[in-house]
Amino acid sequence: MKRRHFLTSMAVLLFSAALKVKAKIFSGGMPWIIHSVRPPKPVVAGEWTFFTAEEVSLIETLADRIIPADELSIGGKEAGCAVFLDRQLSGDYGNAVTTYRLGPVIQDGLPQAGPQYKDTPAERYRLGLAALNGVAKARNAGKSFTELTGEEQDDLLRRVESGEIPLTGVNGQLFFNMLVQNMREGFFSDPLYGGNKDMAGWKMVGFPGARYDFRDVIDRRGEDLHIEPVSMLTRYEKS
Amino acid sequence: MSNKREKVDAVIVGLGWAGSLMANELTLAGLNVVAIERGSWRDTSNDFPTTIDTDELRFVSRRAIMQPTAVETLTFRNNPIQQALPLREFNTYQFGMNVGGAGTHWNGMTWRFLPYDFQSYSQTIERYGKNKFLEGMQVQDWGVTFDDVEPFYDKFERYAGTSGKAGNIKGEKIEGGNVFEGPRSRDYPLPPLKRTQLSMIFDKATREMGYHPFAVPAGNTSGAYTNPLGVNMAPCTYCGYCEFFGCGNWSKSSPNACILPAVMQRPNFTVITESEVLRVNKAPDGKTATGVTFIGSDGVVWEQPADIVVISAYQMDNVRLMLLSGIGQPYDHKTGEGVVGRNYAYQTISGAGFFFEDEMMNPFIGAGALSQAIDDFNGDNFDHSGHDFIGGGVALVHSTNGRPIGYSNNVPPGTPRWGADWKKAVKHSYQNYNNIYCMGNSYPHRDVFLDLDPEYKDRHGQPLLRVTFDWIENDKRSAKFMADRSVEIAHAMGAKTVVRQEPTAKPFSPMDNLSSHTTGGACMGDNPKTSAVNRYLQSWDVHNVFVCGASAFANNGGYNPTGTVGALTLWAAEAIKTQYLKSPGPLVRV
């Protein structure tokens, strides 16, 4: 068995600082803090924080292939999935703040233990997007991914998804899985995070969003309830 | 050691359900108690009010209130000849983190185990003979019976505000409750939750098949409630934000909602947060513990001396802390000797996914434990004479949530995972999909165990816990049986498409996210050669150490473990209060 070991202890020292909160001692009552609660700060579209200009056009194209615009809803690009992902990748998620990254990293060991990444999601996107463009150019006389027709793009993605076309520097199938999952997150998470524009994803399936009380309708079993969704953003704007 | 805190009567490691219940009982008994919790302070008002709770991305996708793998993870392998590797991504094991532990983010299914679950060894032999156990199985009794712990199940349900309907009060069977349950002293404190369309369909179909459907006992309050500690709980609003979330509505049973508001008022209780216990310290003779050593988030190491040490972290961490501290002999699967790490058990999962043609199930209306179940095939509730396995499982449908990121995977087999066809399928399935979920018994096996990993370490340089687990033959047979039953039920419910689910047909992977219910590794019993703690959860070797949690289970029932964790902790607390404090020493002599 070929094994690749990587020591990542330095990276761990860096990110573990982000998990640190000061030790506290509590006694003599509930330590309630008035007005301590607020939602995460809403994402506002504008300057890109992670993607380069070239990456932006690629990820927006991908967003519309994964979640195309059709009679059911707007597409992933218009819904803001690229903005969502941009902010996620420059934050804790992209930097793998909560992930165990100590070594050794053995990437071709027991698959049941799951992926053995040495890099972060942010680093994986950087490599994966470049590699995807690379295979597009190599197979289409120098045309980048975004220059292909929709059908050609879908065909290439299906081949990456199935593992038929490998990507350089990242595991293409795992990268594609991550891309699909992140686009779904962008389409279905609260609009607060930059995607799911006008709650389009929620309206598509009929999910009422950030509502917290269904006692008034629970007895109307089997009915189409037509509940207008609300988001945490709605609350934020009103507060 | 440079930093030493003042000695206390008892130190509690981990402030989840077990730690909080123990803190309540010991402070009521007048002891001076300190609890040390690895995570942060968490309470309803500050940390999960309804204004921020409705956030699937934050709390489910990113598991915001749970233990990140960066803090601690496990290494995993299927069998002892493989090299275990660390679980780096979120996976099926859902360790609690922060005050309240896993008791904050659980769903609330509040079961009592069957009388058979506590005595699977003796009752199986009595009914079927010794040959019923397949090669390598290490089934053993728990050293307590259902009747011993029944009063403590009752006490836990009162603290927790459990909603349900009794099926057996003092031997009298009651239709509509679970007629297979052990005899209860009285009914639940609250009636069952309201039913959903899904529950109704399942109820009707299984009743017509001759089974005995009932509402799963829920740690979601069906009405306003005041518990025996004087803590008020509000009626559940069926919002669908239970599992992975704290309850912002004071409606889910949790240490934060039910216990800590009372305990925190007592002057003899202190919580130290953001501080991780590295080991339990032993006296030079090894017969008693002197307290614990912990490290604060500022990196400073402290000693907390105490007369009693209660280990009440997550099941896996209890085992790890015992191994790191040298309390009890580690289990060796080659010789069968040693007890810590022995009798680890998972849960045997199977079932059937199903899709209706034109239903409106409104899956967003739900609660963590809003569920309709049958227990006809659990434990020894049916005659196993004609079957080549023991145990079985509960089969249930679950109206827990309709959160759309999670739902986007619920599409019929063969559907692409992206593109227009996927969208169409997601839209249709949202109202039409659910599944029959069977949680099955899991029995210990010689080659299934926990020990310290020889290679991988945590951020403090201490070895990670290593899990060696794969489905055993008994699991495979019982899961096949339960999957068959699930497929039949799904068809009887009128589903258009039924997808058999039998994960036991391939090697187990924690990345499959089947069940977080893991048990054992520091199991209770009446023989120090085969159990790590005695029937009062007291270490056989170090008598002032008590180890509370699902680590004590000698086998896993076909249920969620929390009700039994609560009952056993209260049972142990009673023994400490009424026996140990009067005469510290081993409570069981062999």
Side-chain angles (χ1 to χ4, degrees):
Chain A
M1 187 169 72
K2 189 177 145 209
R3 288 177 182 171
R4 293 187 293 274
H5 293 236
F6 298 97
L7 282 171
T8 54
S9 56
M10 275 316 291
V12 168
L13 280 179
L14 288 174
F15 76 69
S16 63
L19 290 172
K20 277 188 180 174
V21 189
K22 209 168 160 26
K24 293 188 183 73
I25 299 176
F26 300 105
S27 61
M30 293 286 276
W32 278 326
I33 304 154
I34 306 297
H35 302 310
S36 70
V37 177
R38 57 190 62 202
K41 203 167 164 31
V43 164
V44 182
E47 293 285 303
W48 296 89
T49 59
F50 175 77
F51 291 125
T52 63
E54 193 189 356
E55 287 170 339
V56 166
S57 96
L58 178 52
I59 198 73
E60 289 193 326
T61 303
L62 287 168
D64 264 354
R65 299 326 301 172
I66 308 271
I67 304 172
D70 58 16
E71 72 280 5
L72 296 183
S73 76
I74 55 175
K77 177 182 171 180
E78 192 186 342
C81 291
V83 177
F84 164 84
L85 184 56
D86 181 77
R87 302 306 196 275
Q88 289 289 309
L89 290 178
S90 52
D92 285 355
Y93 171 74
N95 293 303
V97 165
T98 59
T99 307
Y100 180 78
R101 294 179 67 213
L102 292 169
V105 178
I106 298 168
Q107 289 182 319
D108 45 9
L110 185 72
Q112 279 76 18
Q116 299 293 311
Y117 294 121
K118 69 178 192 298
D119 55 6
T120 65
E123 291 163 346
R124 230 169 293 148
Y125 265 99
R126 194 118 278 156
L127 289 170
L129 292 178
L132 188 61
N133 242 342
V135 293
K137 286 177 179 168
R139 300 171 69 93
N140 297 282
K143 279 192 197 167
S144 67
F145 187 86
T146 52
E147 292 170 314
L148 305 179
T149 67
E151 270 181 33
E152 288 170 336
Q153 290 170 343
D154 285 353
D155 181 63
L156 183 59
L157 291 178
R158 271 192 288 268
R159 288 167 196 260
V160 172
E161 181 183 24
S162 71
E164 184 194 325
I165 297 180
L167 297 184
T168 311
V170 290
N171 179 317
Q173 284 184 288
L174 293 180
F175 174 68
F176 191 79
N177 287 347
M178 180 168 67
L179 178 68
V180 167
Q181 183 59 28
N182 290 152
M183 290 299 121
R184 290 177 178 184
E185 288 168 358
F187 194 63
F188 286 124
S189 63
D190 197 287
L192 182 81
Y193 292 103
N196 193 12
K197 186 189 174 197
D198 298 332
M199 301 177 280
W202 293 351
K203 286 172 183 165
M204 181 182 99
V205 295
F207 176 64
R211 289 189 182 268
Y212 211 78
D213 192 345
F214 297 111
R215 283 174 296 176
D216 55 338
V217 289
I218 189 169
D219 291 327
R220 290 168 55 191
R221 295 178 190 85
E223 277 185 46
D224 190 344
L225 297 171
H226 300 289
I227 303 174
E228 190 66 25
V230 294
S231 77
M232 289 175 27
L233 196 57
T234 322
R235 294 178 183 175
Y236 202 96
E237 283 166 346
K238 282 177 183 164
S239 67
Chain B
M1 184 144 328
S2 52
N3 304 294
K4 199 164 179 171
R5 286 176 52 85
E6 204 174 314
K7 189 176 177 185
V8 292
D9 297 322
V11 62
I12 292 174
V13 182
L15 200 56
W17 264 123
S20 300
L21 290 167
M22 191 57 88
N24 182 55
E25 298 299 319
L26 297 187
T27 50
L28 281 177
L31 300 194
N32 196 11
V33 177
V34 164
I36 302 176
E37 163 60 42
R38 170 148 72 187
S40 311
W41 173 259
R42 288 282 184 263
D43 70 50
T44 299
S45 306
N46 289 329
D47 298 290
F48 23 87
T50 56
T51 43
I52 63 159
D53 215 16
T54 51
D55 187 344
E56 182 181 13
L57 184 78
R58 177 179 180 179
F59 293 106
V60 185
S61 307
R62 307 287 182 255
R63 292 194 180 182
I65 63 169
M66 297 168 65
Q67 179 177 288
T69 59
V71 169
E72 187 187 314
T73 187
L74 302 160
T75 67
F76 178 82
R77 59 182 180 175
N78 285 128
N79 64 59
I81 58 166
Q82 293 170 334
Q83 182 184 357
L85 294 178
L87 301 170
R88 297 179 185 275
E89 298 194 333
F90 291 132
N91 53 71
T92 199
Y93 305 124
Q94 297 165 12
F95 284 37
M97 177 87 179
N98 311 309
V99 168
T104 306
H105 66 70
W106 71 314
N107 255 328
M109 290 194 190
T110 314
W111 297 95
R112 298 173 167 205
F113 277 19
L114 296 164
Y116 171 78
D117 292 324
F118 294 93
Q119 295 171 294
S120 300
Y121 179 75
S122 53
Q123 290 194 13
T124 301
I125 290 202
E126 190 184 326
R127 194 166 172 187
Y128 307 106
K130 207 161 194 166
N131 292 335
K132 199 73 184 171
F133 301 119
L134 302 177
E135 169 69 19
M137 288 172 78
Q138 289 182 162
V139 183
Q140 59 198 61
D141 292 348
W142 296 35
V144 288
T145 65
F146 174 85
D147 289 341
D148 288 332
V149 294
E150 195 284 333
F152 302 93
Y153 272 123
D154 181 78
K155 187 171 180 176
F156 180 70
E157 288 160 4
R158 250 71 198 168
Y159 280 155
T162 311
S163 306
K165 180 178 165 71
N168 180 350
I169 295 181
K170 296 174 181 162
E172 188 195 336
K173 301 291 175 84
I174 301 155
E175 206 196 312
N178 181 8
V179 292
F180 295 100
E181 70 177 337
R184 314 165 56 86
S185 47
R186 54 180 169 168
D187 206 342
Y188 292 93
L190 287 167
L193 295 165
K194 289 201 173 206
R195 289 184 193 173
T196 59
Q197 180 76 345
L198 173 68
S199 324
M200 300 295 243
I201 296 170
F202 176 88
D203 188 277
K204 181 166 181 287
T206 51
R207 199 173 296 281
E208 283 171 5
M209 293 171 90
Y211 304 143
H212 301 80
F214 59 95
V216 167
N220 319 122
T221 43
S222 59
Y225 181 68
T226 303
N227 83 2
L229 298 173
V231 180
N232 293 316
M233 298 180 74
C236 175
T237 57
Y238 303 94
C239 75
Y241 294 94
C242 273
E243 188 176 26
F244 297 107
F245 298 81
C247 179
N249 201 54
W250 297 88
S251 308
K252 181 166 74 173
S253 308
S254 73
N256 316 70
C258 304
I259 309 293
L260 294 169
V263 178
M264 287 305 293
Q265 310 303 327
R266 298 185 193 135
N268 52 343
F269 182 62
T270 298
V271 185
I272 305 174
T273 62
E274 306 289 344
S275 295
E276 183 169 331
V277 172
L278 299 173
R279 63 188 165 275
V280 176
N281 305 319
K282 288 198 292 187
D285 68 356
K287 298 244 192 301
T288 54
T290 58
V292 302
T293 295
F294 68 93
I295 182 168
S297 55
D298 51 6
V300 179
V301 176
W302 287 81
E303 185 185 350
Q304 174 63 66
D307 287 331
I308 295 173
V309 175
V310 176
I311 301 178
S312 54
Y314 198 83
Q315 169 253 334
M316 299 268 198
D317 277 328
N318 284 355
V319 178
R320 179 170 180 252
L321 194 54
M322 290 181 82
L323 291 169
L324 291 174
S325 310
I327 296 173
Q329 190 189 341
Y331 173 69
D332 180 345
H333 76 103
K334 291 191 199 109
T335 62
E337 288 173 10
V339 290
V340 182
R342 183 192 161 99
N343 277 39
Y344 171 66
Y346 184 54
Q347 195 148 50
T348 305
I349 303 301
S350 59
F354 55 83
F355 298 83
F356 291 117
E357 175 63 20
D358 192 19
E359 185 54 75
M360 291 298 293
M361 291 201 281
N362 294 326
F364 46 84
I365 302 175
L370 203 174
S371 187
Q372 203 73 1
I374 59 163
D375 226 11
D376 298 65
F377 300 110
N378 206 345
D380 201 32
N381 294 345
F382 61 110
D383 187 356
H384 285 68
S385 302
H387 299 292
D388 54 3
F389 59 89
I390 60 167
V394 69
L396 55 83
V397 292
H398 192 189
S399 301
T400 167
N401 75 84
R403 300 188 297 258
I405 300 172
Y407 255 68
S408 61
N409 221 14
N410 299 337
V411 290
T415 308
R417 293 187 304 148
W418 49 284
D421 288 343
W422 166 77
K423 282 179 70 178
K424 215 172 292 168
V426 167
K427 181 177 166 59
H428 182 260
S429 298
Y430 187 74
Q431 286 289 1
N432 287 286
Y433 169 82
N434 211 294
N435 80 325
I436 292 162
Y437 180 73
C438 302
M439 273 185 282
N441 301 98
S442 179
Y443 296 100
H445 187 278
R446 187 180 53 216
D447 294 330
V448 168
F449 58 95
L450 305 174
D451 62 1
L452 293 177
D453 191 275
E455 182 135 44
Y456 290 95
K457 306 215 171 354
D458 70 6
R459 58 196 176 142
H460 303 304
Q462 299 217 94
L464 296 179
L465 193 70
R466 174 168 66 179
V467 179
T468 302
F469 176 83
D470 204 351
W471 309 111
I472 66 171
E473 185 59 30
N474 193 79
D475 296 343
K476 294 177 188 174
R477 295 179 185 180
S478 66
K480 184 172 185 298
F481 175 81
M482 292 306 294
D484 287 343
R485 302 292 80 75
S486 303
V487 168
E488 291 164 5
I489 295 168
H491 282 300
M493 289 169 70
K496 183 193 171 207
T497 304
V498 176
V499 185
R500 184 188 170 83
Q501 293 168 342
E502 193 184 334
T504 52
K506 60 176 183 148
F508 173 71
S509 165
M511 308 315 287
D512 291 344
N513 284 312
L514 297 170
S515 162
S516 62
H517 306 146
T518 71
T519 64
C523 81
M524 62 196 301
D526 52 18
N527 181 352
K529 291 202 177 322
T530 55
S531 57
V533 294
N534 65 26
R535 69 197 301 259
Y536 302 110
L537 308 187
Q538 179 186 36
S539 163
W540 286 108
D541 298 354
V542 184
H543 67 74
N544 62 340
V545 171
F546 291 80
V547 187
C548 303
S551 52
F553 297 7
N555 51 267
N556 202 356
Y559 300 119
N560 311 59
T562 302
T564 301
V565 168
L568 289 177
T569 302
L570 292 169
W571 154 262
E574 189 73 7
I576 294 173
K577 290 190 325 191
T578 60
Q579 300 178 54
Y580 188 80
L581 291 179
K582 283 178 203 151
S583 168
L587 295 175
V588 179
R589 305 225 176 235
V590 286

